[in-house]
Amino acid sequence: EAKIKELRKQTRNRKKELAQERRSRALVDMSAFGRLAGDGATGCEKKTGKSNEGSEPSVGGVFSALSNVFSGRTKQGESSANDSKSSATEVKIDDTKQKAEESKPAWMLEMEAMEDESGLTCAICQEGRTLQPTELLGLYAFIKKVSIPYNKGGFRGSIDGALLLLTLPYSLPVSLRGTDVEDDWFRPAKSASSALKSTDHGAQTLAAVSSSSMSPRPSYFVTTVSAGNAIHCSCHASARAADRNHPKAPKSEWEGASLRNSRVSCNVILPLVSQENSKVPVMSLENALHDHNEIASKLLGTQPKPMLWTMLHDVRLLLLRISYGEKLNADCGGGSLTSNCALIYYMLFMADLFARDAEHDSPGAVQHAKHLTSGFLVTSSI
């Protein structure tokens, strides 16, 4: 056993000596001037048990000192060489990128140059006003008819402010004459009142007020809600034809539209009218407005002229439903508060379009709508 232990000890020592020799050779190869300082004794020194203490400096020590002196210059030269190599590499990468850009096909360059779509996008082609500026976008919506009795706020003359304008005094009180109230509010309101008296609506309002009993017939309006899903009118027409001519499962127009509307019921497309529609053909816009007005007229049972007040009453009813906390998704099975608040702005854009369109056919109705605020402010001041 003692011999075995001795053999094992000799083997371990020999392995250490071999490892030390390999380390010394590696350090010598790494240094430009020979073995680095502090690399320890060689294997032969350890084997003989001799050390260099008290003897003359070895050749390795001299070279290690020279290595320490010139190490700064060496590192500086290496860093400058690395910088030149890195700059050359960057130039080579730039050349490679430029060659790659030049070698790209035309369709890929065109795809990379396309702008990202922002805002509403079509439920079918996933493109909006940025990528398809000449296509008219519409909003899937659900419109229904509501009736309001006269004795429960259904008197149309009171709702639209016609009675307010028609009952303005002939002149202002003495305390308000010559003030800004007379110039800014009273005169425009009286002008709208005079124009309203010459219309059928003004005559009906005055007749209803003068009669002793209210009419038993209720007033009919339309109210609209939406889930906020948009579609191109052309894409809707193509999808409608495809649904109707499907060989296995043909669907009606609005049955297929409800699937594209996130399975929310819809029966009308509200055209999204704004200043960004400048590239949309006029014929497309007129057709979309005609389709919307036709659906609203069928629900009301009459053709309202102009459509301005139909849209304004629609906005008013939606605001009332939101303020009273009604469930807006009860009618169509979808639609959030956010989507219906955005719908208010879209309908106001349409009302502005109807107002500009009615300036030629029904100027009295437009003047009535524009100066209704002036009449309210005058009445409050009086």
Side-chain angles (χ1 to χ4, degrees):
E1 291 181 1
K3 290 183 179 181
I4 293 173
K5 289 181 180 181
E6 184 66 23
L7 289 174
R8 288 178 176 175
K9 185 176 179 181
Q10 292 178 2
T11 304
R12 285 196 299 271
N13 292 337
R14 182 56 183 166
K15 286 181 178 180
K16 289 180 181 180
E17 291 175 0
L18 294 174
Q20 187 65 26
E21 290 178 359
R22 286 196 297 269
R23 176 178 176 276
S24 300
R25 287 196 299 269
L27 292 175
V28 170
D29 294 338
M30 291 172 61
S31 174
F33 298 96
R35 197 166 35 182
L36 296 177
D39 58 347
T42 62
C44 296
E45 292 172 349
K46 285 193 173 183
K47 189 175 181 180
T48 56
K50 295 180 182 180
S51 65
N52 291 330
E53 293 181 2
S55 62
E56 294 182 359
S58 63
V59 176
V62 173
F63 280 110
S64 63
L66 292 173
S67 175
N68 291 332
V69 171
F70 294 102
S71 60
R73 297 180 182 179
T74 305
K75 290 179 180 178
Q76 185 176 2
E78 291 176 356
S79 62
S80 60
N82 292 333
D83 291 341
S84 60
K85 289 180 181 179
S86 61
S87 60
T89 305
E90 292 176 358
V91 171
K92 187 176 181 181
I93 292 174
D94 293 338
D95 294 340
T96 305
K97 288 182 178 180
Q98 186 176 0
K99 291 179 181 179
E101 290 289 337
E102 294 175 354
S103 62
K104 287 182 179 179
W107 63 267
M108 185 176 292
L109 295 175
E110 185 178 355
M111 289 288 292
E112 292 178 352
M114 292 176 65
E115 299 180 13
D116 293 334
E117 190 61 73
S118 60
L120 293 173
T121 57
C122 176
I124 295 179
C125 66
Q126 301 299 319
E127 294 179 346
R129 290 187 175 126
T130 302
L131 300 178
Q132 293 287 345
T134 59
E135 293 292 336
L136 178 64
L137 271 175
L139 204 66
Y140 276 136
F142 183 84
I143 185 172
K144 72 173 184 177
K145 179 181 178 181
V146 294
S147 62
I148 303 176
Y150 266 52
N151 58 354
K152 293 185 179 180
F155 180 38
R156 190 180 295 270
S158 296
I159 293 174
D160 60 17
L163 184 61
L164 175 69
L165 291 175
L166 292 172
T167 55
L168 285 174
Y170 181 74
S171 61
L172 283 174
V174 179
S175 59
L176 294 177
R177 293 176 187 174
T179 62
D180 293 338
V181 175
E182 183 177 9
D183 297 332
D184 298 339
W185 300 336
F186 182 70
R187 290 178 181 174
K190 285 297 292 183
S191 176
S193 176
S194 301
L196 185 61
K197 288 178 182 179
S198 61
T199 62
D200 295 338
H201 179 48
Q204 292 172 3
T205 302
L206 291 175
V209 173
S210 61
S211 63
S212 58
S213 61
M214 286 287 186
S215 174
R217 294 188 306 169
S219 296
Y220 296 103
F221 305 94
V222 292
T223 177
T224 308
V225 292
S226 174
N229 295 316
I231 189 170
H232 286 127
C233 295
S234 58
C235 292
H236 174 76
S238 302
R240 176 182 57 193
D243 291 337
R244 184 174 58 247
N245 300 324
H246 197 279
K248 294 184 178 180
K251 294 183 285 291
S252 63
E253 175 183 2
W254 301 112
E255 185 181 0
S258 64
L259 297 177
R260 295 184 291 274
N261 193 30
S262 303
R263 298 188 179 275
V264 177
S265 300
C266 54
N267 57 4
V268 70
I269 294 180
L270 185 79
L272 298 182
V273 181
S274 69
Q275 296 178 353
E276 299 180 4
N277 294 121
S278 58
K279 297 182 180 180
V280 176
V282 178
M283 188 59 66
S284 300
L285 181 59
E286 289 182 354
N287 292 336
L289 290 174
H290 177 267
D291 294 341
H292 175 270
N293 296 345
E294 186 178 5
I295 292 174
S297 300
K298 286 182 179 179
L299 288 174
L300 292 172
T302 181
Q303 178 67 37
K305 292 184 179 181
M307 285 294 296
L308 170 62
W309 280 105
T310 303
M311 186 59 61
L312 290 178
H313 285 308
D314 197 347
V315 174
R316 180 183 66 88
L317 289 175
L318 181 55
L319 287 171
L320 285 173
R321 296 178 69 181
I322 292 174
S323 61
Y324 279 96
E326 289 189 15
K327 292 183 178 180
L328 302 176
N329 57 2
D331 298 331
C332 57
S336 63
L337 179 61
T338 303
S339 62
N340 285 285
C341 286
L343 177 64
I344 294 174
Y345 290 98
Y346 300 139
M347 290 194 294
L348 287 176
F349 278 121
M350 279 194 66
D352 181 66
L353 178 64
F354 288 142
R356 286 186 274 121
D357 187 40
E359 286 179 352
H360 305 285
D361 301 332
S362 304
V366 178
Q367 196 172 10
H368 172 197
K370 286 185 176 180
H371 298 300
L372 185 59
T373 305
S374 300
F376 176 77
L377 294 173
V378 167
T379 307
S380 301
S381 301
I382 294 174

